[in-house]
Amino acid sequence: MRNNNGKDMYCIVSRNTAYMLLFFMVAMTACKKLVPKERTTIGGDSGFTLDTYEPILGRTTYFSDNFYQGSTTYPADFKIINVRRRTGEPAPELTDAFPVKVWKAAYTGEEKSIAEIEAKRREEYHSILEMSPHTGDITFWGAGKSDFIFAQPDSGYLFDVELSNSGGRRFFRNLKLMPMKEIPTLPTNLNAMTGQPVGENFGLSFIENVTGIKNSSRNLGFSDVDVYIRKANPSTRNTLTFRFLDTLYQPMNPAIFNTTDWANLVHGFNMKKTDTYVQYDVAYPIPLVSVPTRYTTSDGRTARAAFTWSRIGFGGARINASFGLNFAIYDPGDWEIVFAFKNDVPKTTDDL
C-alpha cells in the first residue's frame, strides 16, 4: 500500500499494531497487580450452633450442620482435643476405640436375608465421640452397652475443637457433652434421666374400626389396649415375637387378624407362625437405618407394625379394622411385643 507520495505504509501499520499489543500487555499486567489474591481466613463470625450435645447412649447419633462457616475459608480442618470429664480428668471412655457396625453399602429394605444385610455392613473401631475432619459434624457412636459412660443427671463432659486452614487456627473451648441414659426401645416406659421404669406399659400408635365382642355399641380405643416390649433374659438370638392376650391374659391366635401382611410386617425372615405368636429372625437395630421402607413410618424413624382384618357387619357392610404400633428397638437380642386387651377383645368374625 502506498500514500499520496508513493511511499510504502506496511511498516507504519506493523509498527502501530506492535504498539497496541504492548499497551494491552502492560494493562493486563497492571490489572493483575491491582486485584489481590483471595486470602485464606478463619472467620471471627464462624462457630458451633450447638453448645451442648445430648445423645442417647447405646445408639448412633449424628449431629450435622452444627457448624456455621461464616467467613472461614474452606477447605478447613476440624479436630476434637482435650476431651475430659467435668472434674478435669481425662475421659478415655470417649477417646478409646470400640467396635461398631458401619454401613459399606446402602440399605434399601429389599434385602432378602440377614446374610444379605450383614454383607452390607462391617465392624470397625471408632472412638465413641468423633468429628468429621472437614465439616465439623459430630458422630456419637452406639457401641453396645454404654453404662461405663457418665450420663445425666451427671454433668458429663467438656471438649475443645481446633479449627485450622492455611490462614491460621482457632480454638472453640468448653463444648458440652451430656449423654442421656440408654433407652433400648421406642416407645418406652423408662425415665430419660434416671433410666428407671415409670409404669409397665404404654399404648397403641393407631386403632381404627375395632368393635368389641362384649359391647358392640362402641369401638375400642387407645385406652383399651396395653402394649409391652420385653427382652428375654438371657437373650441368645436376634428375634422379634408378637403376642396377643385377651382380658384374662390368655393367648389369642394371630390368625384372627386375617388380612395382616405377615410376610412384610417387619423386615424379618424365617417367620414362625403358631396359634399363640408370630416370630421373626431379625437384624438390629429396628429400623436398621432412618430411611423410609415398606416396614417403616413415612419418615423412616420408626418401624410400623399393623394388624388388620376384614369382616361383614350388620346390613352387609364391609368393615376393615386395624391397630398397631410405631416402634424402634436399638439393643440386639430376643424381643417380644405384647398387645393385651384389657376390657374387651376385637370382634373379627362376621355379624349374622
Side-chain angles (χ1 to χ4, degrees):
M1 180 175 178
R2 294 176 178 273
N3 61 15
N4 294 332
N5 297 323
K7 293 184 178 180
D8 196 336
M9 294 182 63
Y10 287 113
C11 61
I12 298 174
V13 173
S14 179
R15 185 178 299 123
N16 289 343
T17 302
Y19 287 151
M20 291 177 66
L21 288 174
L22 180 61
F23 171 79
F24 282 118
M25 290 176 65
V26 171
M28 290 298 294
T29 302
C31 287
K32 288 183 180 179
K33 291 181 178 180
L34 290 174
V35 177
K37 293 183 178 179
E38 182 180 357
R39 295 184 61 188
T40 302
T41 61
I42 299 289
D45 58 343
S46 306
F48 285 89
T49 58
L50 289 177
D51 173 67
T52 302
Y53 296 83
E54 297 181 300
I56 299 175
L57 293 178
R59 65 183 79 167
T60 298
T61 305
Y62 302 99
F63 297 94
S64 301
D65 300 322
N66 61 313
F67 183 79
Y68 173 65
Q69 178 180 350
S71 56
T72 292
T73 307
Y74 280 12
D77 296 314
F78 295 82
K79 181 167 55 174
I80 290 178
I81 59 175
N82 195 22
V83 181
R84 58 203 184 275
R85 300 168 187 163
R86 286 296 185 99
T87 57
E89 301 173 280
E93 62 269 28
L94 297 180
T95 56
D96 289 348
F98 295 89
V100 297
K101 285 191 174 181
V102 177
W103 291 94
K104 61 181 182 178
Y107 169 77
T108 65
E110 300 298 325
E111 293 78 7
K112 304 302 182 185
S113 67
I114 290 179
E116 186 177 347
I117 291 173
E118 294 302 341
K120 290 188 170 186
R121 54 185 183 174
R122 65 187 175 208
E123 187 174 84
E124 295 181 357
Y125 280 79
H126 289 265
S127 300
I128 289 181
L129 179 64
E130 283 192 339
M131 174 168 282
S132 173
H134 302 302
T135 66
D137 294 350
I138 286 179
T139 300
F140 190 87
W141 289 98
K145 296 298 290 182
S146 304
D147 51 6
F148 57 92
I149 296 175
F150 292 101
Q152 295 188 39
D154 189 275
S155 56
Y157 303 88
L158 297 173
F159 64 96
D160 306 328
V161 175
E162 177 186 312
L163 169 63
S164 63
N165 58 25
S166 59
R169 70 184 61 226
R170 182 181 171 193
F171 295 91
F172 299 88
R173 308 285 188 182
N174 297 325
L175 297 179
K176 303 176 185 66
L177 175 67
M178 298 178 65
M180 307 291 287
K181 282 187 169 55
E182 186 172 347
I183 297 179
T185 71
L186 288 177
T188 183
N189 63 339
L190 298 181
N191 182 283
M193 294 294 291
T194 67
Q196 298 302 308
V198 180
E200 295 184 357
N201 56 72
F202 31 83
L204 297 170
S205 298
F206 55 92
I207 184 169
E208 185 176 5
N209 296 332
V210 179
T211 301
I213 290 178
K214 296 178 183 178
N215 183 0
S216 60
S217 62
R218 77 172 186 92
N219 286 345
L220 300 185
F222 293 97
S223 62
D224 291 303
V225 188
D226 284 339
V227 182
Y228 304 84
I229 302 182
R230 300 167 172 168
K231 185 179 183 182
N233 188 19
S235 186
T236 58
R237 300 169 54 207
N238 289 333
T239 63
L240 180 60
T241 303
F242 294 94
R243 300 182 187 274
F244 309 88
L245 305 178
D246 64 17
T247 56
L248 299 177
Y249 289 92
Q250 296 302 306
M252 299 168 61
N253 191 335
I256 65 175
F257 309 121
N258 57 29
T259 60
T260 300
D261 185 4
W262 295 107
N264 296 299
L265 184 68
V266 294
H267 197 182
F269 311 94
N270 305 320
M271 180 179 68
K272 183 179 180 181
K273 193 166 180 284
T274 75
D275 292 343
T276 58
Y277 66 86
V278 180
Q279 185 180 83
Y280 303 84
D281 292 336
V282 294
Y284 285 105
I286 296 177
L288 282 159
V289 295
S290 294
V291 298
T293 68
R294 74 177 75 179
Y295 311 105
T296 71
T297 53
S298 60
D299 61 6
R301 292 179 180 272
T302 57
R304 180 177 178 86
F307 307 95
T308 66
W309 63 99
S310 183
R311 67 185 190 88
I312 303 298
F314 290 111
R318 173 68 63 179
I319 300 174
N320 297 313
S322 66
F323 68 91
L325 184 70
N326 301 335
F327 69 97
I329 302 176
Y330 302 99
D331 190 17
D334 293 296
W335 287 89
E336 66 175 18
I337 300 178
V338 182
F339 300 89
F341 293 90
K342 298 188 295 183
N343 307 307
D344 204 347
V345 295
K347 183 174 179 59
T348 58
T349 56
D350 295 339
D351 291 322
L352 300 178

